[in-house]
């Protein structure tokens, strides 16, 4: 059992293989945080609770004339509000009497093996025999009757602690929940940096690192999705931490809607990290007896740098998120019609693209946007999930059959959460979108967002998608979301409950996904939101891979894929080779380099194969062949960022290493060059020091892991700007040095 409670000291201890997490109940019943970090022996840590009479620090009533006890500076597991803790709060609740206070005192706990459940939302699963335990701690505010249950899921071998919170109204009148964080994590000292993944459409998840300063700093999304702008993931790390060294804490949020990650450095240089649903436009009314569950947050600690932290998340999200059999299966190499044809196609054109891609080794043809309703551009048709017979005479099944006859599988694009005003669906149900009565709704990409807080709307989407999946042989669905949400108001919700609509939208979306995706385990679902606008663990629960970005420029992709890799496994990151000059940046990069970069994720193609010449197709075929040969290494191996494209302007390099460290694949791209430059070397990682490796099958030369990791591999001086190269390492024998 990884969870222990010591009655005499009222201390809870949670242990994973390499980390420990401790908390204790104070003499007045408050749940105080003691420690999170490297695994430590069983010792009394009560000395960490420092009591002192400090000016302007209020004392709880129970403390009587003890002026040394104050929640103003004590580290907590779930902060109170309006009772002496002025830091960013874990909960904001308007009680039945109008007060806005929560002063929860420990009121019992339960420890059991297995993982708690988060109803209605995706969460990390415990695998059979994995040894996952749960701790539930109840905090109760006796005066208001509001109770909070804190959930801790301990994944011992995986070095992960998951958190979730449930609020129960045990009082006699209705309460209004205005803020609820899924996790609060207090640190005694705050000399940390924090790393967030930020960006915009076509430039997602660029890491930014800055020192935590006094006061509150935050990132979040109020866009109705986890967003291109900030990812629901943050790292706190020591200032000296780098890829290989230093203490690092990760916090990842399993939710696809609005989120807030806030860090506050207080007057005593202490730090609080909060993560949860963004309180903007969030308000939940709970009648007596009702409860509210927060989404899950996933904490991980690495005492040996950022790579170690990434490895923890990669493994957890590869193995414990969702049930899709594709988590463990090789993913097909797709060719997608979007950049090849956009909206301008008919059956013949698509079949030609598919036929011409056969020589490239492609396995699945994806028909992107434009196949349904009246959809010749992005101004109409969304919501009408019926095939457009002008474009596809034989319907979806006719096209799919012909594609299958060629020996390819068939995939389809959908954007189920949307409606165009020029659509039959809108004409029939003009009130089915999110929109405030009496105000024309704000458009995005000339489309409106369906009101997924409504059951009838969700049922329509479930039926439409299930019908499409029954209508033709479809092995892959790309599920898109091409605008952010505005006008959050539902015609079916009382005016006092409009603050619930945004979260109810997410619950509606997860129900749709439960009923469409989980009932079609044989179909591979790929997430998308204008590229990577909804790249989060909740989406990965349903869709094991996500279209990383609408930006397919190989050089820009180096940065996007680098940032994404801090938390998300390589097997989740769909990357395509597209045509040059690149449609987003106008840059020309060799087909070979485009292949190397796209093979740094789940490889696919997104180009008009009919314009490729024989040599180019042959090169693609070789790329696919090499990629498939290395698939297990790429998708399931340990991933190392060898250089950062943000710090090293010359070389971006990364490495995949097999679990037994007998094989590795090193990839690099020269992003800039100088005339007459000196020799560059690349220091490899994750190899066995004492073993010898051959590189690219060269029989003449062998290198020890120690040499490759300490002296480095020479980068060929003949490489020109934007050229890349891959080295395959194979261990030949163990040796002693
Ligand atoms: C989004 C996606 C693209 C493509 C278009 C179609 O932008 O990210 O890949 O599917 O929609 O409209």
């Amino acid at each position: 059992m990884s969870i222990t409670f010591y009655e005499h000291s009222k201390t809870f201890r949670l242990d994973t293989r390499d980390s420990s997490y401790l908390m204790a109940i104070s003499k007045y019943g408050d749940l105080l945080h003691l420690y999170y970090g490297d695994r430590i022996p069983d010792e009394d840590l009560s000395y960490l609770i420092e009591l002192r009479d400090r000016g302007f620090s209020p004392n709880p009533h129970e403390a009587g004339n003890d002026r040394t006890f104050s929640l103003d500076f004590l580290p907590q597991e779930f902060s109170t509000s309006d009772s002496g803790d002025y830091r960013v709060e874990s909960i904001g609740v308007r009680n039945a009497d109008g007060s806005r206070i929560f002063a929860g005192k420990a009121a019992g706990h339960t420890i059991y093996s297995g993982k708690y459940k988060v109803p209605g939302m995706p969460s990390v699963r415990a695998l059979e025999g994995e040894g996952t335990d749960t701790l539930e701690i109840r905090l109760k505010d006796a005066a208001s009757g509001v109770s909070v249950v804190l959930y801790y899921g301990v994944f011992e071998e995986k070095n992960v602690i998951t958190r979730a919170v449930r609020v129960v109204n045990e009082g006699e009148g209705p309460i209004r929940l205005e803020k609820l964080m899924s996790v609060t994590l207090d640190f005694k000292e705050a000399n940390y940096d924090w790393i967030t993944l930020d960006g915009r459409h076509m430039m997602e998840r660029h890491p930014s690192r800055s020192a935590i300063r006094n006061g509150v700093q935050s990132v979040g999304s109020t866009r109705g999705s986890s967003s291109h702008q900030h990812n629901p993931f943050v790292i706190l790390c020591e200032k000296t931490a780098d890829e290989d060294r230093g203490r690092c804490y990760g916090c990842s949020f399993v939710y696809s809607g609005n989120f807030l990650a806030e860090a506050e450095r207080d007057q005593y240089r202490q730090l609080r990290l909060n993560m949860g649903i963004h309180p903007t436009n969030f308000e939940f009314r709970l009648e007596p007896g009702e409860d509210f569950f927060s989404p899950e947050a996933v904490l991980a600690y690495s005492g040996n740098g950022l790579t170690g932290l990434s490895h923890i998340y990669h493994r957890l999200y590869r193995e414990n998120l969702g049930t899709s059999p594709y988590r463990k299966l090789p993913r097909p190499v797709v060719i997608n019609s979007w950049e090849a044809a956009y909206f301008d196609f008919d059956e013949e054109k698509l079949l030609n693209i598919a036929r011409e891609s056969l020589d490239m080794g492609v396995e699945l043809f994806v028909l992107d946007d434009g196949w349904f309703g009246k959809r010749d551009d992005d101004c109409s048709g969304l919501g009408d999930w019926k095939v457009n017979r002008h474009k596809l005479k034989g319907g979806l099944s006719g096209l799919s059959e012909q594609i299958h006859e060629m020996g390819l599988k068939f995939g389809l694009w959908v954007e189920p959460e949307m409606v165009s005003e020029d659509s039959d669906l809108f004409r029939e149900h003009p009130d089915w979108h999110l929109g405030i009565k009496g105000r024309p709704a704000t458009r995005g990409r000339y489309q409106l967002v369906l009101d997924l807080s409504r059951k009838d709307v969700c049922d329509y989407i479930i039926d439409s998608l299930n019908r499409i999946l029954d209508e033709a042989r479809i092995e892959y669905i790309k599920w898109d979301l091409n605008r952010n949400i505005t006008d959050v108001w539902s015609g079916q919700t009382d005016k006092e409950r409009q603050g619930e609509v945004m979260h109810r939208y997410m619950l509606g979306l997860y129900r749709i996904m439960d009923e469409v995706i989980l009932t079609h385990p044989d179909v591979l679902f790929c997430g998308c939101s204008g590229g990577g606008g909804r790249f989060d663990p909740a989406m990965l629960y349903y869709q094991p891979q996500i279209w990383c970005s609408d930006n397919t420029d190989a050089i820009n992709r180096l940065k996007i894929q680098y940032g994404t890799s801090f938390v998300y496994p390589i097997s989740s990151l769909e990357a395509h080779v597209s045509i040059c000059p690149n449609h987003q940046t106008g840059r020309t990069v060799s087909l070979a380099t485009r292949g190397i970069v796209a093979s740094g994720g789940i490889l696919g193609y997104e180009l008009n194969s009919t314009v490729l010449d024989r040599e180019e197709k042959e090169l693609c075929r070789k790329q696919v062949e090499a990629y498939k040969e290395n698939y297990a290494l790429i998708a399931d191996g340990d991933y190392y960022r060898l250089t950062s494209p943000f710090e090293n302007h010359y070389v971006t390099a990364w490495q995949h290493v097999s679990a037994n460290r007998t094989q590795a694949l090193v990839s690099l791209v020269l992003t800039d060059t100088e005339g007459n430059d000196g020799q560059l070397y690349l220091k490899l990682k994750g190899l066995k020091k004492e073993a010898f490796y051959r590189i690219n099958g060269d029989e003449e030369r062998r290198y020890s892991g120690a040499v490759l990791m300490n002296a480095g591999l020479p980068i060929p001086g003949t490489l020109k700007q934007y050229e890349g190269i891959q080295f395959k390492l194979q261990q030949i024998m163990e040796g002693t040095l």
Side-chain angles (χ1 to χ4, degrees), residues 74-371:
L74 287 169
Q76 294 174 69
E77 280 299 305
F78 187 80
S79 85
T80 55
S81 59
D82 202 24
S83 61
D85 181 354
Y86 297 96
R87 291 164 289 181
V88 283
E89 59 194 10
S90 312
I91 187 170
V93 58
R94 186 67 66 186
N95 298 313
D97 63 2
S99 62
R100 195 181 180 285
I101 186 168
F102 177 78
K105 303 283 178 190
H109 70 269
T110 336
I111 298 173
Y112 51 90
S113 27
K115 162 94 194 296
Y116 61 86
K117 300 244 174 334
V118 181
M121 282 177 280
S123 57
V124 173
R125 287 185 321 123
L127 303 179
E128 280 253 320
E130 202 173 43
T132 307
D133 302 312
T134 294
L135 165 64
E136 292 182 17
I137 305 178
R138 194 161 151 252
L139 304 177
K140 172 139 189 169
D141 182 306
S144 67
V146 176
S147 250
V148 159
V149 184
L150 306 182
Y151 294 83
Y152 298 81
V154 183
F155 288 70
E156 192 172 355
E157 269 312 297
K158 293 242 160 75
N159 282 321
V160 160
I161 296 174
T162 61
R163 302 267 303 257
V165 178
R166 179 171 154 238
V167 176
V168 194
N169 181 3
E170 293 169 0
E172 275 158 22
I175 59 166
R176 263 192 350 250
L177 198 56
E178 296 174 348
K179 180 181 182 187
L180 182 66
M181 295 287 100
S182 297
V183 58
T184 291
L185 187 59
D186 277 0
F187 295 84
K188 290 290 286 178
E189 61 129 300
N191 206 15
Y192 286 137
D193 282 351
W194 85 324
I195 302 176
T196 54
L197 303 177
D198 312 317
R200 56 176 183 256
H201 179 218
M202 301 214 187
M203 198 198 83
E204 296 90 339
R205 293 173 298 286
H206 280 203
S208 16
R209 178 171 180 162
S210 55
I212 293 281
R213 54 172 172 74
N214 285 348
V216 183
Q217 45 251 270
S218 70
V219 291
S221 166
T222 53
R223 294 171 170 267
S225 66
S226 43
S227 92
H228 299 86
Q229 286 72 13
H230 301 287
N231 198 263
F233 174 67
V234 299
I235 297 173
L236 289 170
C237 60
E238 288 179 315
K239 291 200 172 311
T240 49
D242 61 16
E243 289 288 2
D244 310 305
R245 278 165 297 267
R247 297 187 174 88
C248 307
Y249 298 85
C251 185
S252 167
F253 192 41
V254 191
Y255 192 60
S256 318
N258 293 347
F259 78 93
L260 174 69
E262 51 186 357
E264 179 171 4
R265 184 173 138 115
D266 73 9
Q267 51 185 336
Y268 303 113
R269 292 182 300 278
Q270 304 184 114
L271 173 62
R272 169 167 297 166
L273 176 72
N274 274 348
M275 183 103 128
I277 294 181
H278 204 297
T280 294
N281 208 354
F282 169 85
E283 206 178 71
F284 245 80
R285 186 184 158 99
L286 299 181
E287 297 294 334
E290 285 186 343
D291 67 349
F292 180 89
F293 238 100
S294 80
E296 182 166 274
V298 179
L299 292 177
Y301 167 76
S302 155
N304 53 8
L306 298 164
T307 303
L309 191 71
S310 298
H311 287 175
I312 294 175
Y313 281 107
H314 287 187
R315 206 172 138 219
L316 183 83
Y317 287 168
R318 267 200 318 256
E319 296 177 8
N320 299 62
L321 256 189
T323 50
S324 167
Y326 277 99
R327 282 174 308 134
K328 294 189 194 130
L329 292 175
R331 316 286 168 74
V333 177
V334 308
I335 182 151
N336 179 295
S337 70
W338 181 240
E339 286 199 24
Y342 295 104
F343 293 104
D344 178 20
F345 58 80
D346 56 18
E347 195 175 271
E348 198 188 325
K349 187 166 177 182
L350 298 177
L351 289 171
N352 282 339
I353 295 173
R355 195 171 301 110
E356 292 298 321
S357 68
L358 287 172
D359 293 344
M360 295 159 55
V362 158
E363 298 163 300
L364 190 148
F365 175 83
V366 184
L367 171 53
D368 209 280
D369 198 353
W371 60 267

Side-chain angles (χ1 to χ4, degrees), residues 357-428:
S357 68
L358 287 172
D359 293 344
M360 295 159 55
V362 158
E363 298 163 300
L364 190 148
F365 175 83
V366 184
L367 171 53
D368 209 280
D369 198 353
W371 60 267
F372 51 90
K374 181 181 138 224
R375 185 83 171 159
D376 294 324
D377 54 32
D378 56 13
C379 295
S380 61
L382 288 169
D384 296 344
W385 300 110
K386 291 198 182 88
V387 73
N388 180 323
R389 291 259 171 191
H390 296 295
K391 291 185 180 180
L392 303 177
K393 297 205 168 35
L396 275 183
S397 56
L399 178 67
S400 162
E401 262 164 45
Q402 294 183 74
I403 298 278
H404 279 96
E405 271 161 31
M406 288 180 197
L408 294 174
K409 292 179 173 169
F410 181 62
L412 198 64
W413 178 96
V414 290
E415 194 184 356
E417 295 154 71
M418 297 292 154
V419 62
S420 307
E421 285 154 277
D422 184 1
S423 69
D424 292 341
L425 182 67
F426 186 81
R427 282 181 283 272
E428 230 170 279

